Amino acid sequence: MIAIACDHTGIEMKKEICSLLDEMGLEYKDFGTHSTASCDYPVYGYRAAKAVADGECDRAILICGTGVGIGMAAAKVKGMRVCTCSDVYTATLSKRHNNSNVLTFGARVIGVDVAKMITRAWLTETFEGGRHQRRVDMLQAIEDGAEL
Ligand code: RB5
Protein backbone atom coordinates (compact mmCIF):
# COMPACT_ATOMS: atom_id res chain seq x y z
CA MET A 1 0.00 0.00 0.00
CA ILE A 2 1.37 3.39 -1.02
CA ALA A 3 0.66 6.49 1.06
CA ILE A 4 0.16 9.59 -1.05
CA ALA A 5 -0.23 13.16 0.15
CA CYS A 6 0.24 16.75 -0.92
CA ASP A 7 -0.37 20.32 0.14
CA HIS A 8 -2.54 22.76 -1.82
CA THR A 9 0.12 23.22 -4.51
CA GLY A 10 0.13 19.53 -5.39
CA ILE A 11 -3.55 18.75 -5.85
CA GLU A 12 -3.48 18.47 -9.65
CA MET A 13 -0.20 16.60 -9.74
CA LYS A 14 -1.41 14.18 -7.08
CA LYS A 15 -4.43 13.34 -9.26
CA GLU A 16 -2.08 12.55 -12.15
CA ILE A 17 0.13 10.37 -9.96
CA CYS A 18 -2.94 8.54 -8.64
CA SER A 19 -3.93 7.84 -12.26
CA LEU A 20 -0.48 6.39 -12.86
CA LEU A 21 -0.81 4.18 -9.77
CA ASP A 22 -4.20 3.02 -11.06
CA GLU A 23 -2.60 2.21 -14.43
CA MET A 24 0.15 0.27 -12.65
CA GLY A 25 -2.42 -1.61 -10.60
CA LEU A 26 -0.97 -0.38 -7.31
CA GLU A 27 -3.05 0.33 -4.23
CA TYR A 28 -2.73 3.65 -2.45
CA LYS A 29 -4.26 5.62 0.38
CA ASP A 30 -4.66 9.37 0.03
CA PHE A 31 -3.79 11.29 3.21
CA GLY A 32 -4.91 14.66 1.80
CA THR A 33 -5.02 17.51 1.38
CA HIS A 34 -8.15 17.36 -0.75
CA SER A 35 -8.66 20.98 -1.78
CA THR A 36 -6.68 23.87 -3.19
CA ALA A 37 -7.26 25.93 -0.03
CA SER A 38 -3.94 26.99 1.46
CA CYS A 39 -2.77 24.49 4.07
CA ASP A 40 0.32 23.46 6.03
CA TYR A 41 2.51 20.84 4.36
CA PRO A 42 3.87 19.37 7.65
CA VAL A 43 0.44 17.95 8.47
CA TYR A 44 0.25 15.88 5.29
CA GLY A 45 3.89 14.87 5.20
CA TYR A 46 3.60 13.68 8.78
CA ARG A 47 0.37 11.74 8.30
CA ALA A 48 1.62 9.83 5.28
CA ALA A 49 5.03 9.10 6.86
CA LYS A 50 3.37 7.96 10.10
CA ALA A 51 1.34 5.45 8.08
CA VAL A 52 4.63 4.08 6.73
CA ALA A 53 6.24 4.02 10.18
CA ASP A 54 3.19 2.19 11.59
CA GLY A 55 3.26 -0.41 8.81
CA GLU A 56 -0.11 0.61 7.37
CA CYS A 57 1.71 1.60 4.16
CA ASP A 58 5.10 0.51 2.87
CA ARG A 59 6.17 3.71 1.11
CA ALA A 60 5.00 7.23 0.48
CA ILE A 61 4.84 9.71 -2.37
CA LEU A 62 4.54 13.34 -1.28
CA ILE A 63 4.08 16.55 -3.24
CA CYS A 64 4.35 20.20 -2.28
CA GLY A 65 5.56 23.27 -4.16
CA THR A 66 9.21 22.25 -4.11
CA GLY A 67 8.97 18.82 -2.52
CA VAL A 68 11.30 20.12 0.18
CA GLY A 69 8.98 21.08 3.02
CA ILE A 70 6.79 18.01 2.86
CA GLY A 71 9.94 15.89 2.64
CA MET A 72 11.42 17.59 5.70
CA ALA A 73 8.22 16.84 7.61
CA ALA A 74 8.31 13.18 6.58
CA ALA A 75 11.99 12.90 7.51
CA LYS A 76 11.15 13.82 11.11
CA VAL A 77 9.26 10.53 11.44
CA LYS A 78 11.44 7.63 12.57
CA GLY A 79 12.52 5.21 9.88
CA MET A 80 11.91 7.52 6.94
CA ARG A 81 14.50 7.69 4.18
CA VAL A 82 13.34 10.57 2.05
CA CYS A 83 14.34 11.30 -1.52
CA THR A 84 13.36 14.75 -2.79
CA CYS A 85 14.18 14.80 -6.45
CA SER A 86 13.52 16.25 -9.89
CA ASP A 87 15.14 13.60 -12.06
CA VAL A 88 14.82 9.91 -12.80
CA TYR A 89 18.47 9.11 -12.06
CA THR A 90 18.29 10.37 -8.47
CA ALA A 91 14.99 8.59 -7.86
CA THR A 92 16.39 5.33 -9.25
CA LEU A 93 19.61 5.44 -7.24
CA SER A 94 17.78 6.48 -4.09
CA LYS A 95 16.03 3.14 -4.26
CA ARG A 96 18.99 1.01 -5.40
CA HIS A 97 21.49 2.44 -2.92
CA ASN A 98 19.56 4.20 -0.15
CA ASN A 99 16.40 2.10 -0.07
CA SER A 100 14.38 5.31 0.08
CA ASN A 101 10.87 4.74 1.34
CA VAL A 102 9.55 8.27 0.75
CA LEU A 103 9.64 10.03 -2.62
CA THR A 104 8.88 13.73 -2.84
CA PHE A 105 8.84 16.21 -5.68
CA GLY A 106 7.76 19.75 -6.36
CA ALA A 107 4.62 20.54 -8.33
CA ARG A 108 6.12 23.98 -8.99
CA VAL A 109 9.45 22.52 -10.08
CA ILE A 110 8.77 19.67 -12.49
CA GLY A 111 6.03 18.85 -14.98
CA VAL A 112 3.57 15.99 -14.79
CA ASP A 113 5.37 13.84 -17.36
CA VAL A 114 8.67 14.01 -15.48
CA ALA A 115 6.88 13.36 -12.18
CA LYS A 116 5.32 10.26 -13.68
CA MET A 117 8.64 9.01 -15.06
CA ILE A 118 10.26 9.55 -11.65
CA THR A 119 7.42 7.77 -9.88
CA ARG A 120 7.45 4.80 -12.25
CA ALA A 121 11.22 4.40 -11.93
CA TRP A 122 11.13 4.68 -8.14
CA LEU A 123 8.34 2.14 -7.82
CA THR A 124 9.94 -0.45 -10.06
CA GLU A 125 13.53 -0.28 -8.79
CA THR A 126 14.81 -2.55 -6.04
CA PHE A 127 17.34 -2.06 -3.25
CA GLU A 128 20.70 -3.67 -4.03
CA GLY A 129 21.63 -4.48 -0.43
CA GLY A 130 25.23 -5.57 0.18
CA ARG A 131 27.48 -2.64 1.08
CA HIS A 132 24.47 -0.38 0.74
CA GLN A 133 22.70 -2.23 3.53
CA ARG A 134 25.60 -1.39 5.86
CA ARG A 135 25.22 2.29 5.04
CA VAL A 136 21.46 2.26 5.43
CA ASP A 137 21.97 0.56 8.81
CA MET A 138 24.30 3.44 9.72
CA LEU A 139 21.54 5.91 8.91
CA GLN A 140 19.28 4.06 11.31
CA ALA A 141 22.04 4.03 13.92
CA ILE A 142 22.30 7.82 13.71
CA GLU A 143 18.57 8.07 14.27
CA ASP A 144 18.92 5.76 17.27
CA GLY A 145 21.55 8.03 18.83
CA ALA A 146 24.78 6.37 17.78
CA GLU A 147 27.87 8.47 17.14
CA LEU A 148 29.79 7.48 14.03
C1 RB5 B 1 3.59 26.66 -0.24
O1 RB5 B 1 3.55 28.00 -0.68
C2 RB5 B 1 5.01 26.15 -0.30
O2 RB5 B 1 5.81 26.79 0.64
C3 RB5 B 1 5.03 24.65 -0.09
O3 RB5 B 1 4.23 24.03 -1.04
C4 RB5 B 1 6.38 23.97 -0.21
O4 RB5 B 1 7.02 24.30 -1.40
C5 RB5 B 1 7.26 24.05 0.95
O5 RB5 B 1 8.34 23.46 0.98
Side-chain angles (χ1 to χ4, degrees):
M1 177 70 73
I2 298 167
I4 190 159
C6 66
D7 73 359
H8 54 287
T9 68
I11 288 286
E12 288 308 315
M13 188 171 274
K14 186 174 71 177
K15 281 184 196 155
E16 297 281 352
I17 298 301
C18 287
S19 299
L20 174 65
L21 299 180
D22 288 335
E23 260 173 51
M24 294 176 79
L26 297 172
E27 284 191 315
Y28 55 88
K29 182 169 177 183
D30 187 345
F31 288 84
T33 186
H34 300 291
S35 89
T36 53
S38 182
C39 66
D40 300 325
Y41 58 80
V43 173
Y44 304 98
Y46 168 76
R47 288 179 184 170
K50 182 76 173 28
V52 176
D54 290 347
E56 180 188 355
C57 295
D58 30 58
R59 50 201 161 171
I61 299 171
L62 309 176
I63 308 162
C64 67
T66 58
V68 173
I70 204 160
M72 286 181 169
K76 297 290 183 191
V77 176
K78 281 189 185 295
M80 297 307 106
R81 292 179 301 280
V82 179
C83 172
T84 298
C85 78
S86 302
D87 66 278
V88 171
Y89 180 81
T90 304
T92 300
L93 271 289
S94 83
K95 179 57 81 175
R96 284 188 198 166
H97 289 189
N98 316 112
N99 202 16
S100 59
N101 53 7
V102 180
L103 171 69
T104 85
F105 40 78
R108 291 173 172 167
V109 179
I110 58 174
V112 167
D113 286 352
V114 172
K116 285 186 170 183
M117 288 173 76
I118 287 171
T119 301
R120 190 182 282 277
W122 188 72
L123 289 171
T124 51
E125 276 300 330
T126 52
F127 179 49
E128 287 177 3
R131 69 185 187 282
H132 302 297
Q133 183 63 61
R134 183 177 74 247
R135 294 162 184 164
V136 169
D137 289 344
M138 291 167 89
L139 297 176
Q140 187 58 51
I142 294 169
E143 190 172 271
D144 294 339
E147 292 191 14
L148 303 183

